[in-house]
Amino acid sequence: MVEVVTTVAAPLLVVLIFGFLIYRFGFFTGRDIGGRLPFVVGGVLLLVVSLWGVVELAPNYTDWFIAGAYPLIDLAQSLLGAIGLLLGVSGLALYADYWQERRTEVEERFGRLSILDNLQLDSRQPYHLLEMLNISLREILVQYPMAAGAVLLVNRAQRQFVLTSSAGLHKDEIACLEYYPLGRNVVSQAVELGDPMLLAQFEFFDRTGGRIDSRFKSVLVLPLLSGMEQVGGLLLFSEEPHFFVARDIRYLAPVAQWLAEKIKSARLGRLLAQAERLRETEAANVSDLTGRVASSARAAAGSDPANGFCRSLVGLADSESVHLCGIRQGALVFHGSSEPLFDLTENLRASMIEGIDRARPLIINQESGDAEVRKQVVQSNLVLPVPGSKSDALLLVKPGPAFTVNDKSLKLIESFAALGGLVIRMEEDNRLRLTRRKGFEVVVELLRAELPGRDSRSGVRFFLETLGRVLPRKTICLAFFADSASSYRVQTVSPGENAELFDDILVHSGRGGAGAVAASGESTFIHGRGAVARHFDTYDDQVRSTFQRFFGERGWPEYVAYCPVGDGESTTVAMIAAHVMDESERAEWERLLTLAAGLCTLRLTTARLSRAGEAGVISVTWASTGDALNRLNNHLAAVIGTAELTAQDSQLSEDVRRRLRDIITRAEEAADVARRTLTAGPTGGFEGAGVTETVSRVVERELAQLKVSGNVHMAGQRPREIFSNLETVPPMALPANRLAELFRTLLDRFSALADEDDIFTIATYSRDKYVYLDVSRHRRNFPPVAPVAGFGRYVAAEEALRSRPSDIFLTQVQESGTGYAVDDERPVPAYLSFRFPVSPTIPAPLSGSPTPRARLLAIDDQQVILDLISAMGQSLGYEVRTASSGEEGLRLAERQQFDAVLTDLALPKMSGLEVARQISRLRPGVPVILVTGWSTELNADQLAEAGISDVLYKPFRMEQLTSVVRAVVAGRAGA
């Protein structure tokens, strides 16, 4: 009974067991579950075997088959049961293996999915960007143990990728990736498109751009993108084909995105740090700049502005010493220094002069060493020209290494150079103010003091002794007293100055400068050691040797001035020699000496005339005296106008204002005395104011001094055959002494360039409103050069000096409106030519009649010019109205009638020519004077069409302006 129950329960038990296992293990819950088929087949076989056992319980079972079949059936039943059991067990084993694989896969996927979490956790540490990229790459390769990797960042400036991190690569592969190009390749394509790429093969590139096959058969390229910015690419390599699949992109795309953001944030952080450092540096620079500006401003306001300013800049650009320097008369001078500069070699001086002359920043390095030792910079010099100046610069000096400056620091130093220029000008202005104040004191004393004697000898001594109290230190004063009609004796004014050297010396009136000054009645000035040395060459050998011994070890002076002082009958010449003369003060001293000599001559002349009048005898050479007094009248007008203009300065003290008013009063009294004295003469005035110097007369006089015999003259320390063709030409505004110095210097320069056998031709002639001076050379038996005015190309003298700095004689005619033409087609020019503007008018002599009352209109956009014209007009008794623009001037011309109009050529909005045209239409017949500083040639027809009666070239002297206005107003009154 038990056997039957067991047999009947076996199928049910098989169904329950296999059903439970199928349900419990979820064999049918998913597809492709491992071991499901064997397990089910085994269960089916066991179920069949158990059901066959139930069948065997049937009563007639033994009759179903033959007797020999039942053992076989039992054997088959046993085999099926064993097979079913084996399949069931195999199914369970396969099921276990399947889930083990799934578990491993899940763990692998979890590891890959956790890459980003791990990286984010690691990134909390303060890693450098490169270190963080290395950690990130290693973290990725931990999950891909059979792979290698690299991170490439984009460098668009060099058109290539930059390898920043790598792992698992050979050295040659790393070398190829370091120069991976940014162009037509898979990495560039993935980065440009922003799409990951799976590749079956990867190619490297060598330094020449050639392709190299790699060992990798599976490559994954992930672009690193942050927004629209293309940061770079993440590359993973494997030697196994199909190692990387699409699902790897899903795992690693967020990692690539995170890396791109991290790289961008690191870059932004680096830029932010740089900006912060730059801000701190800028703040420190601003603080340093503020401190330096403040200290330099305090230094400029101190008692020693230039040196104090230099000391305040020590340390600028790591400098150890600072200097303010410049070029004066072709030599390097220092206006101020933080400390003495001892090791200034001639080469360094020449280089600095060249740098200042070119007006460009220059670094000059002084090196030490020889051929066997590497040269090193022992001192570096930075020369910064002062903006707006062609002759001054800021010099920074430091020991090696050399200065390194960028555009920003250069602009900063240039700003201090500009401040240095202000300091230089301030010091020069202070010196000029001091010179002018001293000059005013001298003029007042010459007007007030009683003359010590009654002749020109005592007058010149009084003149020199009065000037000696204000002239620069170590200035030498000599007097040339007429010994006879053809010679002079030289005496020193101050005793103890080797006066005995001149005891037996006579100076011939035809040699040297004293006779020419006495004959012309005009002061003459010579500056520059070379020019002074050449000037003393014009004296006799004995006289020149005496002067050379007199000046002694100091050599020839830097500056020599001749001033005539006379009483109408005899003239004594004063010579003032200075070994040091500041270029900025030279013009002031020349005005002072000219004015002082004129005032002294006026006082001596009026005193003699008064004595002659008391005796009833007037004995005077009217022509020469009238010429001198006419020039003196111009100087008095300049004194009055300048004093009026200076008195308007609000910074002047009341004492200085009182002295200025005293000067104006005395000068007016002197002019009135001259008028009354002249009207007392036998003709009621003077006829002929003397002969005005022209370029032809100057050249003729200079050639006479250089003449050896016949047509042979000394030029450039050698005899030359010189022919002259000097026409009668109108006078010019250029002083005779400057014309003489110009001719001597250019003749020496031209002679130094010419061949020994060349013949020189000097020609003067006039065309239109210009006077020409040609110096040319030609071979013997060849015709001389034709007048250059017919074919020469003239440029302004100052422009020519910039392009031809060796033509140093051009400094005599800078800013005078002079044109210059030179033969530049040959190495040695065949000609030099000067074109001088004709003087607008010849100054008219004084007459006994009072100056006519006239009304002037001055139009200029520079207030200083308007103030000067206004002061001049008031000193002459004119009524002057001023306008700062052409429109304002036309409005005044509409409302009032003027006797003359002065207008600047370069006016804003409306040119001076247009102003002249409209005034001519508005007020026909009113003369218009054009004031211009332009060096370009003015068309005569254009001037006539605009109604312009005269042209005055800037810069002009006070007497030139006075002469032009007087002539125009006088012509208007006589019309």
Side-chain angles (χ1 to χ4, degrees), residues 327-329 527 558 581-588:
I327 302 175
R328 297 294 184 271
Q329 298 179 7
H527 60 92
E558 179 75 24
M581 173 61 67
D582 193 290
E583 182 66 20
S584 61
E585 298 181 9
R586 182 168 60 86
E588 293 298 325

Side-chain angles (χ1 to χ4, degrees), residues 591 630-631 633-635 637-638 731-735 738 815-817 837-844 868-869 872 876 902 929 931 950-968:
R591 295 189 187 99
N630 183 59
R631 289 192 299 273
N633 176 55
N634 288 338
H635 290 308
M732 304 168 302
L734 202 65
R738 290 176 63 184
E815 301 178 356
S816 63
V838 175
S839 179
T841 57
I842 300 176
L868 184 63
I869 295 175
M872 179 275 302
L876 296 178
L902 292 92
I929 301 171
V931 181
D950 223 326
V951 178
L952 185 63
Y953 290 90
K954 296 179 185 177
F956 49 82
R957 296 179 62 187
M958 193 70 177
E959 52 266 35
Q960 291 176 282
L961 178 63
T962 303
S963 176
V964 171
V965 174
R966 271 182 168 170
V968 171

Side-chain angles (χ1 to χ4, degrees), residues 289-331:
L289 176 62
T290 304
R292 289 190 184 279
V293 171
S295 61
S296 61
R298 289 192 298 270
S303 58
D304 191 8
N307 292 332
F309 174 81
C310 293
R311 286 192 290 270
S312 69
L313 296 186
V314 173
L316 183 64
D318 298 329
S319 61
E320 289 197 358
S321 66
V322 181
H323 312 267
L324 283 173
C325 56
I327 302 175
R328 297 294 184 271
Q329 298 179 7

Side-chain angles (χ1 to χ4, degrees), residues 669-735:
E669 290 176 356
D672 188 57
V673 168
R675 292 189 185 96
R676 290 198 307 270
T677 303
L678 290 174
T679 54
T683 62
F686 293 106
E687 294 180 1
V691 180
T692 304
E693 289 281 70
T694 66
V695 65
S696 297
R697 293 192 62 198
V698 170
V699 171
E700 184 179 7
R701 185 172 65 245
E702 292 300 319
L703 288 178
Q705 294 181 1
L706 299 173
K707 185 174 181 179
V708 178
S709 64
N711 293 323
V712 179
H713 300 73
M714 293 298 296
Q717 305 298 323
R718 67 181 69 177
R720 289 285 190 183
E721 192 170 356
I722 301 177
F723 293 89
S724 60
N725 183 14
L726 309 177
E727 299 180 3
T728 302
V729 295
M732 304 168 302
L734 202 65

